[in-house]
Amino acid sequence: MAAAIAAYEADTETAGAGNGFVPGPTLNNNLRVRPLRSRSFSAAAPVEAAPVSAPVVTSVAPAAAPAPAAAPKATGTQGSVKVDAPMPGKILAVKKNVGDAVKSGEAILVLEAMKMENEIVAPQDGTVASINVSVGDAVESGSTLATLN
């Protein structure tokens, strides 16, 4: 780095064509570097500092804590078999309704998590007793999405 600065200063001291171009070090493709500012310095007029005013203090009331989100209302009565969310995400679709018969492994809901659509399936054969979420709801891992009888 020091060698590059020394080479630059040596090239600029020999310049003086007056056209604003100050030759710099030659690059490996025979291009010259033009500095962003000229090497001549002039004494500038001193700048007066603006008067500093006292800081303005305002009181800010603490924000009220947001009310906890109410759990979505379940449609239907709760069944004995719970279908829980395996991971946090957003409900994209509800494929079954209350009262529909489902087979083990059949999709009940579609949960979007980490930019992927995951089908939430019935853990066993039964009838959908309740759907505890709706499309667009954000759910946490372990929350009950639906119940079966």
Side-chain angles (χ1 to χ4, degrees):
M1 184 72 152
I5 293 171
Y8 170 76
E9 288 177 352
D11 283 346
T12 56
E13 288 174 1
T14 60
N19 60 1
F21 182 75
V22 179
T26 303
L27 301 176
N28 60 359
N29 54 1
N30 292 328
L31 293 176
R32 292 290 201 166
V33 178
R34 182 177 180 171
L36 295 177
R37 56 187 158 104
S38 68
R39 298 283 296 167
S40 63
F41 297 101
S42 62
V47 178
E48 291 184 28
V52 177
S53 62
V56 177
V57 178
T58 59
S59 65
V60 177
K73 295 182 181 176
T75 56
T77 59
Q78 296 295 314
S80 59
V81 179
K82 292 182 177 183
V83 180
D84 295 332
M87 63 191 86
K90 179 180 173 184
I91 302 298
L92 290 183
V94 178
K95 297 207 173 225
K96 296 293 180 181
N97 295 319
V98 174
D100 290 350
V102 292
K103 300 274 185 195
S104 177
E106 192 173 351
I108 300 172
L109 304 159
V110 177
L111 174 72
E112 178 189 29
M114 298 181 287
K115 306 273 185 185
M116 295 186 63
E117 294 181 10
N118 303 292
E119 288 187 337
I120 307 301
V121 298
Q124 65 188 38
D125 293 351
T127 304
V128 177
S130 69
I131 302 290
N132 299 359
V133 293
S134 58
V135 175
D137 287 350
V139 296
E140 294 298 321
S141 180
S143 60
T144 302
L145 304 176
T147 60
L148 305 175
N149 283 329

